[in-house]
Amino acid sequence: MNMSRIEKLNGYFEKEIAKCTAKGAELTEDNRKDEAVFAVIRGNILDIFRTISSVAQENCGGDEEKFREFFLSKTEQIPQNWRISLERARSYGDAEAAHVERVKIQAIEEIKDAFAQIWGEAE
């Protein structure tokens, strides 16, 4: 397995999670607690997918293609409920809940973009 791709992916997660943590702290310090919550949410999504990367490494026994398939399947499967929740929040006029779901969906799109770049699949 080309570990450098997985290492790059894990490095991406570490860097982005650190940015979210720092941004959340900065926003909290500036008394912008609502915005800080969104930074924490983004960091949590990144952390979830960092964990999925670890699970993929363990489950795929050194097969890079299996890793790729497993990881990408989770990037499609997990956000399905977020999209449903976004539509539900919109239908109820709940702007705050809708924004939370948009933050989560945006985070997964960024993860997918980073994955594509690391795997050399970016358009």
Side-chain angles (χ1 to χ4, degrees):
M1 180 186 290
N2 184 351
M3 292 304 291
S4 66
R5 286 182 180 175
I6 294 171
E7 290 169 356
K8 285 179 185 177
L9 183 63
N10 290 332
Y12 162 78
F13 287 128
E14 296 300 325
K15 182 180 85 176
E16 292 300 313
I17 290 168
K19 280 192 211 175
C20 289
T21 301
K23 186 173 184 175
E26 177 185 322
L27 291 167
T28 298
E29 190 174 303
D30 288 346
N31 206 26
R32 296 163 58 191
K33 291 179 181 23
D34 289 346
E35 292 174 76
V37 167
F38 299 130
V40 169
I41 291 168
R42 182 173 182 272
N44 289 343
I45 300 306
L46 288 157
D47 191 40
I48 288 167
F49 281 90
R50 175 177 58 181
T51 300
I52 289 169
S53 175
S54 295
V55 170
Q57 279 180 269
E58 290 175 22
N59 289 345
C60 295
D63 187 326
E64 186 177 78
E65 187 57 30
K66 284 183 181 178
F67 176 95
R68 181 185 167 282
E69 289 174 15
F70 179 88
F71 188 87
L72 289 178
S73 73
K74 296 301 180 187
T75 66
E76 295 301 321
Q77 178 186 13
I78 291 171
Q80 287 176 352
N81 287 334
W82 302 340
R83 289 183 181 93
I84 292 167
S85 295
L86 174 58
E87 291 307 314
R88 188 175 300 127
R90 284 179 177 159
S91 71
Y92 290 119
D94 188 342
E96 185 176 338
H99 189 64
V100 167
E101 298 307 320
R102 281 193 299 272
V103 167
K104 291 159 56 174
I105 291 167
Q106 181 181 3
I108 191 60
E109 292 303 320
E110 291 169 6
I111 290 167
K112 287 165 62 174
D113 289 346
F115 186 92
Q117 286 186 325
I118 291 167
W119 253 253
E121 300 171 357
E123 295 177 5

